[in-house]
Amino acid sequence: MKPTDVSDWAPCDDVPKNILCSLDDAAEAICGYQPGELYRGQFGIDADDPLFCSVRQSLQNCLVRNEREFQYELFGFTWRNDFNAYTDDDALFPQQAYFCWWLKNSRAMTFPQWFNHMPHIESYVNKNGIPKVTADEVLTQYLWDEEDTCKATHESDDVEVFPQKKMHPHVTVADLHAIAERVPAFADFLRAALLFLDKDAQDEKIKEVLSGLERESGWGTSTKGGVSEAQCAAFKAFFVKAKPGRPYGKKK
């Protein structure tokens, strides 16, 4: 069984966009099937399409069950698993998580039409379906969009979005937001910092992430254009978790 014309793929009118998808649902859509088109048995989708089987197995291999944190993880996206009570088949992720999977496998599979309906897709791939971003950039944009959505929802309810909650004796959440709105580099540094929490980052990875963010705002100071080595070093010094001990040598 195989979709007759993947190029004409479009979601059914009664299927909401931007919903969370299971691995089965995502593999079905990635392969060009309409939601619910493939037969679902007691143990999930039962299909004889070799492409679907390969995609489904690849997604399964990328899924991480983190029992210590009570969650499932897929390319940085997480799904809460209280008491570790649920199975891999129950885990749900946004479309962006599966797009990150495709980025990793873009050489093995042409651009799935399902992603044409994803926010910011024109910034993620060119007209020929060639990736222009990394998985980390997609995750950062998703987290930023979630914050913007939360802000818009609260504003419509006339609720204070950025309360004067103390982050530091002299700094509030509202203060940080005010700076982020006025200084694009600071805002992007915060976005990138989310990706490196509790992680050691290689210099190449830091530059890759910052370069992707800088393309939107243009705050790079390199004479060749883009992010400079000094800016990368500053980000690493202040935003990436430092190893124990003094970073610049022992005090004399």
Side-chain angles (χ1 to χ4, degrees):
M1 182 177 183
K2 185 177 181 180
T4 54
D5 190 351
V6 178
S7 63
D8 291 336
W9 192 97
C12 297
D13 293 338
D14 59 344
V15 177
K17 299 178 182 178
N18 299 328
I19 60 174
L20 299 178
C21 300
S22 67
L23 301 190
D24 274 353
D25 292 337
E28 182 180 43
I30 287 171
C31 293
Y33 294 100
Q34 290 289 344
E37 183 177 348
L38 294 179
Y39 170 75
R40 283 166 167 72
Q42 181 180 359
F43 302 104
I45 290 181
D46 183 12
D48 58 3
D49 180 356
L51 177 59
F52 169 82
C53 296
S54 296
V55 170
R56 179 62 177 82
Q57 185 59 55
S58 179
L59 288 171
Q60 182 69 50
N61 294 341
C62 294
L63 184 67
V64 176
R65 180 183 173 96
N66 188 336
E67 295 190 352
R68 182 176 180 179
E69 298 296 332
F70 300 97
Q71 64 187 23
Y72 277 102
E73 302 165 359
L74 186 64
F75 293 99
F77 294 80
T78 61
W79 184 74
R80 180 70 182 177
N81 186 15
D82 291 340
F83 284 97
N84 293 315
Y86 298 96
T87 68
D88 298 1
D89 294 334
D90 298 312
L92 302 174
F93 297 95
Q95 194 176 21
Q96 288 87 341
Y98 299 108
F99 179 75
C100 290
W101 166 86
W102 176 75
L103 286 176
K104 178 183 177 182
N105 295 278
S106 59
R107 291 175 61 87
M109 185 180 192
T110 54
F111 177 69
Q113 297 301 309
W114 181 46
F115 297 126
N116 271 332
H117 307 277
M118 193 175 71
H120 309 294
I121 190 59
E122 67 280 354
S123 300
Y124 295 161
V125 296
N126 65 21
K127 62 182 181 180
N128 296 317
I130 305 301
K132 299 193 296 184
V133 295
T134 65
D136 284 343
E137 291 175 61
V138 175
L139 174 59
T140 301
Q141 182 65 58
Y142 176 80
L143 294 173
W144 208 248
D145 286 347
E146 286 289 287
E147 178 177 319
D148 289 344
T149 300
C150 177
K151 175 183 177 182
T153 300
H154 284 300
E155 285 180 341
S156 65
D157 295 335
D158 197 25
V159 176
E160 185 181 16
V161 183
F162 299 102
Q164 298 297 323
K165 180 179 179 180
K166 294 285 186 181
M167 300 293 295
H168 180 274
H170 304 290
V171 181
T172 68
V173 175
D175 294 332
L176 290 177
H177 184 258
I179 297 172
E181 284 191 328
R182 291 168 175 77
V183 185
F186 178 77
D188 286 341
F189 270 31
L190 291 180
R191 293 170 67 181
L194 292 172
L195 300 172
F196 297 113
L197 288 176
D198 299 320
K199 296 179 182 177
D200 290 325
Q202 299 297 320
D203 292 345
E204 295 79 6
K205 190 65 174 178
I206 290 176
K207 188 166 186 177
E208 176 185 322
V209 172
L210 291 181
S211 295
L213 295 171
E214 188 273 342
R215 281 198 293 268
E216 299 179 14
S217 308
W219 43 260
T221 60
S222 172
T223 56
K224 299 179 180 179
V227 181
S228 68
E229 296 299 329
Q231 288 176 314
C232 291
F235 173 83
K236 184 175 183 179
F238 290 102
F239 290 91
V240 178
K241 181 181 179 181
K243 295 181 180 180
R246 291 181 56 83
Y248 301 108
K250 296 182 180 179
K251 184 177 181 180
K252 296 182 179 180

Tab-separated table of all heavy atoms in Angstrom, residues 22-23 26-27 30 53-66 71-79 88-89 91 93 96-106 108 135:
chain	number	residue	atom	x	y	z
A	22	SER	N	1.446	11.203	17.797
A	22	SER	CA	2.191	10.027	18.226
A	22	SER	C	3.168	9.644	17.119
A	22	SER	O	3.109	10.177	16.002
A	22	SER	CB	1.231	8.861	18.483
A	22	SER	OG	0.638	8.446	17.257
A	23	LEU	N	4.061	8.716	17.402
A	23	LEU	CA	5.003	8.267	16.383
A	23	LEU	C	4.267	7.649	15.207
A	23	LEU	O	4.653	7.836	14.042
A	23	LEU	CB	5.996	7.263	16.979
A	23	LEU	CG	6.868	7.730	18.146
A	23	LEU	CD1	7.953	6.698	18.441
A	23	LEU	CD2	7.490	9.084	17.901
A	26	ALA	N	2.644	10.462	13.125
A	26	ALA	CA	3.649	11.234	12.400
A	26	ALA	C	4.202	10.442	11.217
A	26	ALA	O	4.336	10.976	10.111
A	26	ALA	CB	4.779	11.631	13.342
A	27	ALA	N	4.521	9.178	11.429
A	27	ALA	CA	5.051	8.357	10.343
A	27	ALA	C	4.029	8.234	9.213
A	27	ALA	O	4.387	8.263	8.030
A	27	ALA	CB	5.423	6.971	10.871
A	30	ILE	N	4.079	11.652	7.427
A	30	ILE	CA	5.352	11.843	6.736
A	30	ILE	C	5.370	11.071	5.426
A	30	ILE	O	5.910	11.539	4.412
A	30	ILE	CB	6.524	11.408	7.636
A	30	ILE	CG1	6.731	12.440	8.756
A	30	ILE	CG2	7.814	11.237	6.843
A	30	ILE	CD1	7.704	12.007	9.829
A	53	CYS	N	7.210	1.566	7.340
A	53	CYS	CA	7.882	0.743	8.352
A	53	CYS	C	9.271	1.291	8.677
A	53	CYS	O	9.682	1.309	9.843
A	53	CYS	CB	7.977	-0.704	7.868
A	53	CYS	SG	6.375	-1.528	7.661
A	54	SER	N	9.985	1.760	7.657
A	54	SER	CA	11.330	2.301	7.875
A	54	SER	C	11.272	3.611	8.654
A	54	SER	O	12.066	3.838	9.573
A	54	SER	CB	12.028	2.530	6.533
A	54	SER	OG	12.222	1.307	5.845
A	55	VAL	N	10.334	4.491	8.278
A	55	VAL	CA	10.191	5.775	8.975
A	55	VAL	C	9.796	5.549	10.425
A	55	VAL	O	10.354	6.153	11.345
A	55	VAL	CB	9.159	6.659	8.265
A	55	VAL	CG1	8.818	7.884	9.116
A	55	VAL	CG2	9.685	7.106	6.904
A	56	ARG	N	8.828	4.662	10.628
A	56	ARG	CA	8.349	4.384	11.988
A	56	ARG	C	9.464	3.827	12.860
A	56	ARG	O	9.609	4.226	14.036
A	56	ARG	CB	7.171	3.407	11.942
A	56	ARG	CG	6.602	3.026	13.314
A	56	ARG	CD	6.055	4.244	14.032
A	56	ARG	NE	5.451	3.894	15.309
A	56	ARG	CZ	6.129	3.704	16.430
A	56	ARG	NH1	7.469	3.840	16.422
A	56	ARG	NH2	5.506	3.401	17.549
A	57	GLN	N	10.271	2.939	12.327
A	57	GLN	CA	11.366	2.362	13.103
A	57	GLN	C	12.439	3.396	13.381
A	57	GLN	O	13.011	3.442	14.486
A	57	GLN	CB	11.981	1.183	12.347
A	57	GLN	CG	13.058	0.436	13.136
A	57	GLN	CD	12.535	-0.131	14.441
A	57	GLN	OE1	11.563	-0.866	14.456
A	57	GLN	NE2	13.180	0.212	15.554
A	58	SER	N	12.701	4.267	12.424
A	58	SER	CA	13.698	5.314	12.628
A	58	SER	C	13.260	6.275	13.728
A	58	SER	O	14.073	6.676	14.574
A	58	SER	CB	13.926	6.078	11.320
A	58	SER	OG	14.869	7.105	11.496
A	59	LEU	N	11.976	6.659	13.739
A	59	LEU	CA	11.459	7.518	14.803
A	59	LEU	C	11.598	6.829	16.163
A	59	LEU	O	11.969	7.460	17.158
A	59	LEU	CB	9.993	7.859	14.539
A	59	LEU	CG	9.712	8.834	13.394
A	59	LEU	CD1	8.214	8.902	13.124
A	59	LEU	CD2	10.244	10.216	13.726
A	60	GLN	N	11.285	5.551	16.185
A	60	GLN	CA	11.393	4.787	17.424
A	60	GLN	C	12.826	4.795	17.946
A	60	GLN	O	13.072	4.951	19.145
A	60	GLN	CB	10.948	3.343	17.177
A	60	GLN	CG	10.973	2.453	18.410
A	60	GLN	CD	9.913	2.845	19.423
A	60	GLN	OE1	8.752	3.001	19.061
A	60	GLN	NE2	10.296	3.003	20.673
A	61	ASN	N	13.778	4.654	17.039
A	61	ASN	CA	15.186	4.627	17.441
A	61	ASN	C	15.655	5.958	18.011
A	61	ASN	O	16.601	6.011	18.799
A	61	ASN	CB	16.058	4.247	16.244
A	61	ASN	CG	15.820	2.822	15.775
A	61	ASN	OD1	15.275	1.995	16.509
A	61	ASN	ND2	16.213	2.538	14.545
A	62	CYS	N	15.006	7.054	17.616
A	62	CYS	CA	15.400	8.380	18.087
A	62	CYS	C	14.725	8.768	19.404
A	62	CYS	O	15.160	9.695	20.081
A	62	CYS	CB	15.055	9.438	17.031
A	62	CYS	SG	15.999	9.280	15.505
A	63	LEU	N	13.661	8.055	19.749
A	63	LEU	CA	12.915	8.371	20.967
A	63	LEU	C	13.699	7.946	22.208
A	63	LEU	O	14.254	6.857	22.265
A	63	LEU	CB	11.564	7.654	20.940
A	63	LEU	CG	10.603	7.952	22.097
A	63	LEU	CD1	10.130	9.398	22.037
A	63	LEU	CD2	9.406	6.996	22.050
A	64	VAL	N	13.741	8.820	23.194
A	64	VAL	CA	14.463	8.535	24.449
A	64	VAL	C	13.457	8.503	25.598
A	64	VAL	O	12.695	9.446	25.796
A	64	VAL	CB	15.533	9.599	24.733
A	64	VAL	CG1	16.196	9.337	26.088
A	64	VAL	CG2	16.571	9.625	23.618
A	65	ARG	N	13.477	7.422	26.358
A	65	ARG	CA	12.635	7.306	27.554
A	65	ARG	C	13.495	7.662	28.758
A	65	ARG	O	14.360	6.885	29.171
A	65	ARG	CB	12.081	5.893	27.683
A	65	ARG	CG	11.185	5.666	28.917
A	65	ARG	CD	10.748	4.208	28.996
A	65	ARG	NE	10.043	3.914	30.237
A	65	ARG	CZ	8.723	3.913	30.371
A	65	ARG	NH1	7.956	4.207	29.328
A	65	ARG	NH2	8.155	3.620	31.525
A	66	ASN	N	13.272	8.835	29.314
A	66	ASN	CA	14.064	9.328	30.442
A	66	ASN	C	13.273	9.075	31.727
A	66	ASN	O	12.477	9.911	32.151
A	66	ASN	CB	14.351	10.817	30.267
A	66	ASN	CG	15.327	11.346	31.303
A	66	ASN	OD1	15.467	10.788	32.387
A	66	ASN	ND2	15.992	12.454	30.991
A	71	GLN	N	9.898	11.529	31.648
A	71	GLN	CA	9.516	12.124	30.378
A	71	GLN	C	10.099	11.347	29.201
A	71	GLN	O	11.040	10.575	29.353
A	71	GLN	CB	9.993	13.576	30.296
A	71	GLN	CG	11.516	13.730	30.321
A	71	GLN	CD	11.950	15.187	30.421
A	71	GLN	OE1	11.213	16.038	30.881
A	71	GLN	NE2	13.167	15.483	29.974
A	72	TYR	N	9.486	11.560	28.042
A	72	TYR	CA	10.029	11.082	26.769
A	72	TYR	C	10.666	12.266	26.074
A	72	TYR	O	10.203	13.406	26.202
A	72	TYR	CB	8.927	10.484	25.890
A	72	TYR	CG	8.586	9.052	26.214
A	72	TYR	CD1	7.453	8.737	26.958
A	72	TYR	CD2	9.387	8.010	25.758
A	72	TYR	CE1	7.136	7.423	27.255
A	72	TYR	CE2	9.077	6.690	26.043
A	72	TYR	CZ	7.949	6.396	26.789
A	72	TYR	OH	7.640	5.093	27.082
A	73	GLU	N	11.717	12.008	25.284
A	73	GLU	CA	12.444	13.078	24.620
A	73	GLU	C	12.665	12.734	23.150
A	73	GLU	O	12.970	11.580	22.817
A	73	GLU	CB	13.791	13.300	25.319
A	73	GLU	CG	13.651	13.640	26.798
A	73	GLU	CD	14.961	13.509	27.563
A	73	GLU	OE1	15.984	13.135	26.941
A	73	GLU	OE2	14.967	13.760	28.783
A	74	LEU	N	12.486	13.733	22.301
A	74	LEU	CA	12.708	13.560	20.870
A	74	LEU	C	13.321	14.846	20.324
A	74	LEU	O	12.636	15.858	20.184
A	74	LEU	CB	11.391	13.246	20.158
A	74	LEU	CG	11.482	12.891	18.667
A	74	LEU	CD1	12.267	11.580	18.484
A	74	LEU	CD2	10.090	12.769	18.045
A	75	PHE	N	14.632	14.810	20.092
A	75	PHE	CA	15.360	15.968	19.564
A	75	PHE	C	15.152	17.229	20.403
A	75	PHE	O	14.948	18.325	19.872
A	75	PHE	CB	14.968	16.224	18.107
A	75	PHE	CG	15.408	15.133	17.170
A	75	PHE	CD1	14.515	14.153	16.764
A	75	PHE	CD2	16.716	15.062	16.731
A	75	PHE	CE1	14.917	13.126	15.932
A	75	PHE	CE2	17.134	14.046	15.889
A	75	PHE	CZ	16.227	13.071	15.488
A	76	GLY	N	15.193	17.076	21.721
A	76	GLY	CA	15.063	18.215	22.611
A	76	GLY	C	13.641	18.522	23.031
A	76	GLY	O	13.421	19.231	24.010
A	77	PHE	N	12.655	18.009	22.307
A	77	PHE	CA	11.256	18.174	22.679
A	77	PHE	C	10.905	17.103	23.718
A	77	PHE	O	11.394	15.970	23.648
A	77	PHE	CB	10.348	18.014	21.455
A	77	PHE	CG	10.526	19.086	20.422
A	77	PHE	CD1	11.587	19.029	19.516
A	77	PHE	CD2	9.655	20.157	20.356
A	77	PHE	CE1	11.760	20.021	18.560
A	77	PHE	CE2	9.812	21.156	19.402
A	77	PHE	CZ	10.870	21.083	18.514
A	78	THR	N	10.078	17.457	24.683
A	78	THR	CA	9.767	16.524	25.767
A	78	THR	C	8.269	16.303	25.912
A	78	THR	O	7.465	17.186	25.579
A	78	THR	CB	10.327	17.035	27.104
A	78	THR	OG1	9.718	18.302	27.423
A	78	THR	CG2	11.838	17.198	27.041
A	79	TRP	N	7.921	15.126	26.399
A	79	TRP	CA	6.535	14.784	26.707
A	79	TRP	C	6.505	14.171	28.099
A	79	TRP	O	7.186	13.185	28.377
A	79	TRP	CB	5.972	13.794	25.690
A	79	TRP	CG	4.515	13.474	25.885
A	79	TRP	CD1	3.460	14.285	25.594
A	79	TRP	CD2	3.964	12.256	26.418
A	79	TRP	NE1	2.273	13.646	25.901
A	79	TRP	CE2	2.545	12.408	26.410
A	79	TRP	CE3	4.515	11.064	26.890
A	79	TRP	CZ2	1.693	11.410	26.866
A	79	TRP	CZ3	3.658	10.071	27.337
A	79	TRP	CH2	2.268	10.248	27.326
A	88	ASP	N	6.001	3.941	24.785
A	88	ASP	CA	6.486	4.715	23.641
A	88	ASP	C	5.351	5.121	22.711
A	88	ASP	O	5.366	6.207	22.132
A	88	ASP	CB	7.517	3.895	22.853
A	88	ASP	CG	8.743	3.550	23.675
A	88	ASP	OD1	8.791	3.926	24.865
A	88	ASP	OD2	9.656	2.909	23.128
A	89	ASP	N	4.379	4.242	22.543
A	89	ASP	CA	3.275	4.516	21.625
A	89	ASP	C	2.386	5.655	22.117
A	89	ASP	O	1.635	6.238	21.327
A	89	ASP	CB	2.419	3.263	21.428
A	89	ASP	CG	3.176	2.159	20.708
A	89	ASP	OD1	4.114	2.494	19.959
A	89	ASP	OD2	2.838	0.980	20.901
A	91	ALA	N	3.537	8.470	23.675
A	91	ALA	CA	4.250	9.756	23.658
A	91	ALA	C	3.777	10.626	22.499
A	91	ALA	O	3.612	10.154	21.373
A	91	ALA	CB	5.751	9.522	23.561
A	93	PHE	N	4.286	14.424	20.409
A	93	PHE	CA	5.202	15.531	20.145
A	93	PHE	C	4.638	16.435	19.054
A	93	PHE	O	3.864	15.983	18.210
A	93	PHE	CB	6.574	15.007	19.709
A	93	PHE	CG	7.282	14.204	20.751
A	93	PHE	CD1	7.187	12.819	20.765
A	93	PHE	CD2	8.034	14.831	21.739
A	93	PHE	CE1	7.824	12.078	21.739
A	93	PHE	CE2	8.679	14.092	22.717
A	93	PHE	CZ	8.568	12.708	22.721
A	96	GLN	N	7.059	20.009	14.851
A	96	GLN	CA	8.437	20.484	14.755
A	96	GLN	C	9.437	19.418	15.194
A	96	GLN	O	10.549	19.350	14.685
A	96	GLN	CB	8.614	21.749	15.593
A	96	GLN	CG	7.951	22.979	15.007
A	96	GLN	CD	6.495	23.118	15.415
A	96	GLN	OE1	5.860	22.148	15.839
A	96	GLN	NE2	5.957	24.326	15.315
A	97	ALA	N	9.053	18.582	16.156
A	97	ALA	CA	9.961	17.522	16.610
A	97	ALA	C	10.222	16.522	15.490
A	97	ALA	O	11.354	16.062	15.293
A	97	ALA	CB	9.362	16.808	17.822
A	98	TYR	N	9.184	16.213	14.742
A	98	TYR	CA	9.337	15.263	13.635
A	98	TYR	C	10.068	15.899	12.457
A	98	TYR	O	10.755	15.204	11.698
A	98	TYR	CB	7.964	14.741	13.217
A	98	TYR	CG	7.275	14.002	14.343
A	98	TYR	CD1	6.189	14.556	15.004
A	98	TYR	CD2	7.745	12.768	14.776
A	98	TYR	CE1	5.575	13.896	16.057
A	98	TYR	CE2	7.142	12.091	15.821
A	98	TYR	CZ	6.053	12.667	16.462
A	98	TYR	OH	5.463	11.999	17.506
A	99	PHE	N	9.941	17.216	12.332
A	99	PHE	CA	10.711	17.903	11.302
A	99	PHE	C	12.199	17.815	11.631
A	99	PHE	O	13.029	17.650	10.734
A	99	PHE	CB	10.285	19.368	11.203
A	99	PHE	CG	11.048	20.150	10.172
A	99	PHE	CD1	10.792	19.983	8.819
A	99	PHE	CD2	12.036	21.053	10.552
A	99	PHE	CE1	11.502	20.696	7.860
A	99	PHE	CE2	12.747	21.771	9.603
A	99	PHE	CZ	12.483	21.591	8.250
A	100	CYS	N	12.543	17.908	12.912
A	100	CYS	CA	13.941	17.745	13.324
A	100	CYS	C	14.442	16.354	12.964
A	100	CYS	O	15.610	16.174	12.584
A	100	CYS	CB	14.078	17.995	14.821
A	100	CYS	SG	13.857	19.718	15.310
A	101	TRP	N	13.561	15.364	13.095
A	101	TRP	CA	13.931	13.998	12.678
A	101	TRP	C	14.254	13.982	11.198
A	101	TRP	O	15.242	13.382	10.770
A	101	TRP	CB	12.786	13.025	12.979
A	101	TRP	CG	12.957	11.704	12.282
A	101	TRP	CD1	13.671	10.631	12.724
A	101	TRP	CD2	12.455	11.345	10.987
A	101	TRP	NE1	13.636	9.612	11.790
A	101	TRP	CE2	12.898	10.035	10.716
A	101	TRP	CE3	11.668	12.003	10.041
A	101	TRP	CZ2	12.573	9.370	9.530
A	101	TRP	CZ3	11.356	11.351	8.860
A	101	TRP	CH2	11.802	10.053	8.610
A	102	TRP	N	13.401	14.663	10.388
A	102	TRP	CA	13.656	14.669	8.952
A	102	TRP	C	14.964	15.382	8.632
A	102	TRP	O	15.696	14.963	7.721
A	102	TRP	CB	12.508	15.344	8.197
A	102	TRP	CG	12.811	15.431	6.734
A	102	TRP	CD1	12.776	14.431	5.812
A	102	TRP	CD2	13.283	16.592	6.037
A	102	TRP	NE1	13.174	14.892	4.573
A	102	TRP	CE2	13.499	16.213	4.688
A	102	TRP	CE3	13.532	17.914	6.420
A	102	TRP	CZ2	13.953	17.118	3.724
A	102	TRP	CZ3	13.989	18.809	5.458
A	102	TRP	CH2	14.190	18.405	4.126
A	103	LEU	N	15.287	16.465	9.345
A	103	LEU	CA	16.553	17.155	9.105
A	103	LEU	C	17.730	16.185	9.227
A	103	LEU	O	18.674	16.240	8.443
A	103	LEU	CB	16.726	18.307	10.094
A	103	LEU	CG	15.878	19.554	9.874
A	103	LEU	CD1	16.120	20.550	10.997
A	103	LEU	CD2	16.182	20.196	8.527
A	104	LYS	N	17.632	15.311	10.205
A	104	LYS	CA	18.696	14.335	10.406
A	104	LYS	C	18.747	13.328	9.262
A	104	LYS	O	19.809	12.787	8.934
A	104	LYS	CB	18.483	13.604	11.739
A	104	LYS	CG	19.517	12.522	12.021
A	104	LYS	CD	19.210	11.786	13.313
A	104	LYS	CE	20.200	10.653	13.546
A	104	LYS	NZ	19.901	9.874	14.766
A	105	ASN	N	17.595	13.086	8.649
A	105	ASN	CA	17.494	12.055	7.610
A	105	ASN	C	17.189	12.621	6.231
A	105	ASN	O	16.712	11.898	5.344
A	105	ASN	CB	16.398	11.055	7.994
A	105	ASN	CG	16.719	10.280	9.249
A	105	ASN	OD1	17.444	9.303	9.219
A	105	ASN	ND2	16.173	10.736	10.373
A	106	SER	N	17.468	13.917	6.026
A	106	SER	CA	17.085	14.555	4.764
A	106	SER	C	17.805	13.968	3.550
A	106	SER	O	17.299	14.058	2.427
A	106	SER	CB	17.342	16.063	4.838
A	106	SER	OG	18.715	16.337	5.093
A	108	ALA	N	18.288	10.835	3.165
A	108	ALA	CA	17.666	9.533	2.888
A	108	ALA	C	16.229	9.651	2.406
A	108	ALA	O	15.680	8.702	1.854
A	108	ALA	CB	17.707	8.662	4.152
A	135	ALA	N	18.465	21.346	13.665
A	135	ALA	CA	17.418	20.933	14.604
A	135	ALA	C	17.382	21.857	15.822
A	135	ALA	O	16.308	22.165	16.347
A	135	ALA	CB	17.646	19.480	15.033
